[in-house]
Amino acid sequence: MLITIAAVGRMKTGAERELLDRFLDRAGAAGRQIGLTFAVREFPESRAATPALRKAQEGAAVLDALAPALIVALDEGGKGLTSRAFADRIAAWRDGGEANIAFVIGGADGPGAPILEKARIRLAFGAMTWPHQLVRVMLTEQLYRAVTILSGHPYHRD
């Protein structure tokens, strides 16, 4: 199963990029053994005049490029999951025959209606607002953690 991190905006070089790459490499190396592969796709930010129009344009561009993936929207109003529940959800999708999962990180204004309407689940990393670069790192770390849990590595929370 291909898991894509689809993010509006570009991630520049720096400490956040290094962490993202480290967790992505680890997840990719360990994930192949359990049928998971990973990719990152970046999408341009809209220059529309209003937040609503920006979200609509960004969402349409992301959805057009990712079809027919199962969409998971990262949204501050979404559901919080434990790491174990997150891993179990990924395993259920994989075992249920899903071929492509896309975790969508919207632009500065959020994911917008096109993404939220199409999303199978809205996922939050708490009620706080996080910079997009950190959200990418946190998501990638949780994907790596899910791979280790699903691979049978001891998990200190069990």
Side-chain angles (χ1 to χ4, degrees):
M1 178 174 75
L2 174 62
I3 296 175
T4 302
I5 299 169
V8 174
R10 298 191 49 81
M11 188 165 202
K12 297 172 180 62
T13 58
E16 297 91 350
R17 183 60 183 230
E18 290 174 19
L19 277 173
L20 175 83
D21 291 341
R22 182 182 310 157
F23 287 123
L24 195 60
D25 288 344
R26 288 179 181 177
R32 282 188 291 277
Q33 299 169 7
I34 60 170
L36 300 176
T37 58
F38 299 89
V40 175
R41 296 207 43 198
E42 294 181 323
F43 296 87
E45 296 175 86
S46 169
R47 297 188 183 270
T50 67
L53 190 52
R54 282 191 296 271
K55 291 191 291 188
Q57 288 176 351
E58 292 166 352
V62 169
L63 290 175
D64 286 347
L66 295 176
L70 181 153
I71 302 297
V72 177
L74 275 79
D75 178 53
E76 64 188 357
K79 179 179 185 172
L81 296 175
T82 65
S83 295
R84 167 64 70 188
F86 182 69
D88 290 345
R89 178 85 43 125
I90 289 172
W93 287 329
R94 179 198 60 194
D95 298 345
E98 293 292 344
N100 297 298
I101 308 292
F103 289 87
V104 179
I105 303 168
D109 299 306
I115 299 294
L116 297 177
E117 290 168 4
K118 180 82 171 165
R120 179 84 56 94
I121 185 175
R122 292 169 50 188
L123 183 64
F125 289 133
M128 294 180 178
T129 301
W130 296 98
H132 292 188
Q133 294 86 350
L134 288 181
V135 170
R136 291 186 203 194
V137 171
M138 293 186 311
L139 173 59
T140 308
E141 191 281 335
Q142 285 299 301
L143 289 168
Y144 170 64
R145 186 177 300 267
V147 166
T148 62
I149 290 169
L150 297 175
S151 297
H153 288 262
Y155 181 54
H156 71 285
R157 298 285 182 180
D158 287 340

